Amino acid sequence: MILLFGVTIVLVVGLLAFYVSARMKKEMITQARRTAGALAGSIAAASSADFRNYNYIALEQKAEEAARDPDVAYVILYDKEGEVAAFSGQGRSGGVEGVPPLSPEDLAADGLILRGHLVDGSKARGLDATLPVRVEGGGGRWGTVRLGLKLQPIFDRIRRTTIAIFLLGFGGTILGWILAALFTRKITVPLKDLVNATVDVSRGKYDVDLKIDTGDEIQDLADNFQKMAVNLRDQKLALQRNLKEIQELKHFSDLVMLSMTNGLMTLDEQGSIVTFNRMAEKILGIRAEEALGRPLSGIWGGKEGPGGFFEGSFTQRQPPSIREIRVHLEGEERILEISIAPIVEADGSFRGHLILIEDLTEKRALEDRLRRADRLAALGTLAAGLAHEIKNPLTAVRVFVQMSPEKYQREDFREKFDRIVPRELDRVNELLENLLDLVRKPRLNIEALDVRQVIRHTLETLEPEAAKRGVSVIGPDGEGAARAMADESCLSRALHNLVLNGIQAMPGGGQLSVQVRNEVRSDGVQVVEITVRDTGPGIPADQIDNIFNPFFTSKEKGTGLGLAVSNKIIEDQGGSLSLKSERGFGTSMTITLPAALPERLHSYS
């Protein structure tokens, strides 16, 4: 850059010197031509009278006087015939005899003639001027003035000026080079430091120390670069920490996957297996190397195999679902629970599926054994309860039968026999009817009915029992209809059992309320809820799980079949019976029935 700068200056200065020299030469020659013409005219005017009087001595003096000018080389005065009348004596040796006469062209000229040379014998460059001398009023040409003007001083001045311009240009070039070197050094040294700093940063060395104090944009660039290096260092450290956390998290997630008791698979958008943990290998009998990258149907059969169960889920991106299937693995039937859930980004974009596999074979076998044990236990409880409930009436009947041969003739005995034996037999019959209600499928007349009306009839029936125990009864509030799909007789029987239980739970008096409301469940199904709430002592927590079991009762004279039968009646009508009880705050029993909707009326019809 410095060399280019110097060469440019030299070229500019050279062109400027050449232009100035040519311009000065042209201007000075023009000025010399004017000067020569003016001097010739002055000499002609001064010597016109001497030419008229033929005063050659005066003409000689005029020539000598004019030749004293250092720029004048010679002065020659010619008469009218063109012969030399006077000569300054300069320019040639030999005096007047050595000066040639005036040429015919000059003698015939009417005006000033300028030539670019001196007379013969002059070694210097000059300008020759020839001018006729005329006398005012004398008519004609009286003589001729010939003047030689030196041009060498002019050319010397031009040369000196050119040399001076070149010297100034050279000096300016040297000075410019020095200044440019100092200026570029001020730029290149900081830039070199910046380049070295960028190399250090590219090699991972972020602790750069740039001490640049130029007070210009380079200093701003260095300061900003140093800040950038510090930010890069901080970001690198943050990335290293994040990478370490990610690696630890990945290691932990790998441990979790290895430690899971369920099989885990993940599929990408195309349905290819991406993740396959150790438990999945154990459950399915397939190595992870054989499963990764393959579609589920490739390891688990196509549409005809277990993979066909899930093909729709993978293509339609259905919401999470759980399915239980039976498959033959390694010659043995296994029961597997498959949980499928889509993998979705925060912005809602689909990324694949997550599949959890749990082997329920042993669990289901254990559940079957537990259910058999529960059935045996329930059967034992039922048998014990049934034997207990039947034994008391049969004992009374047996006593009367044994005593009848001896005491049948007595009227009071026959009166007791006719009163007690049928009553005890009816008690056994009622017990058996209740047991049959628990096991046989009832004949229901499901129709849309107003449950408020059923509740009012039930409360009217049990009003004397409530009044006897000092229980205040509050019926459903509101006048709107609450229509449900149910059998009126069965619903009335279940309500009767629940209300009677609530009244009997408050031997010292209290309050019993029956409320009805229309509800919409979380799955969108509309139902009617009937809640019977008492203010009794509540049910102990250890008895709540057995409250619906047959023959389980806390009453002295109860059979333990009322709630079991009521629960069966409600379930047979497509409803449910739930219980909430808190010790010291009473018990709530809630019947949930399907609401009477037009489409349900059509389906039941």
Side-chain angles (χ1 to χ4, degrees), residues 459-513:
L459 295 181
E460 289 176 359
T461 302
L462 294 173
E463 184 176 354
E465 182 69 19
K468 183 177 67 174
R469 295 177 179 266
V471 176
S472 61
V473 179
I474 301 176
D477 53 1
E479 298 296 334
R483 298 177 62 81
M485 301 300 299
D487 181 284
E488 183 176 1
S489 175
C490 292
L491 177 60
S492 177
R493 183 180 176 189
L495 275 173
H496 185 279
N497 288 337
L498 297 183
V499 174
L500 181 60
N501 277 349
I503 294 173
Q504 292 175 350
M506 299 179 286
Q511 185 181 81
L512 184 135
S513 63

Side-chain angles (χ1 to χ4, degrees), residues 570-592:
I570 299 301
E571 289 181 350
D572 289 339
Q573 299 178 81
S576 63
L577 178 61
S578 60
L579 177 146
K580 289 183 180 180
S581 183
E582 185 175 358
R583 196 65 174 164
F585 293 92
T587 303
S588 297
M589 304 289 291
T590 301
I591 298 174
T592 302

Side-chain angles (χ1 to χ4, degrees), residues 72 100 106 111 118 184 210 245 267 294 304 391 418 423 441 457 473 501 602:
V72 177
D106 294 342
L118 296 177
T184 53
L210 291 173
E245 292 176 358
L267 310 181
R294 298 175 62 186
E304 302 301 328
K391 180 179 180 180
D418 294 338
R423 183 186 66 189
K441 186 175 181 180
H457 291 165
V473 179
N501 277 349
H602 177 72

Side-chain angles (χ1 to χ4, degrees), residues 277-296:
N277 74 342
R278 183 186 299 169
M279 187 55 66
E281 292 180 332
K282 181 178 179 181
I283 294 176
L284 301 180
I286 301 173
R287 296 178 59 189
E289 294 79 3
E290 301 173 358
L292 294 177
R294 298 175 62 186
L296 187 62

Side-chain angles (χ1 to χ4, degrees), residues 5 46-47 66 79 82 99 144 169 198 204 216 240 253 255 277 314 326 355 359 370 382 430 510 577 580:
F5 180 71
S47 61
D79 58 15
V99 178
T144 302
T198 58
D216 54 11
Q240 289 176 345
S253 63
L255 291 178
N277 74 342
F314 301 142
R326 293 179 179 269
I355 303 177
D359 190 349
L370 290 176
L382 179 63
E430 181 183 1
L577 178 61
K580 289 183 180 180

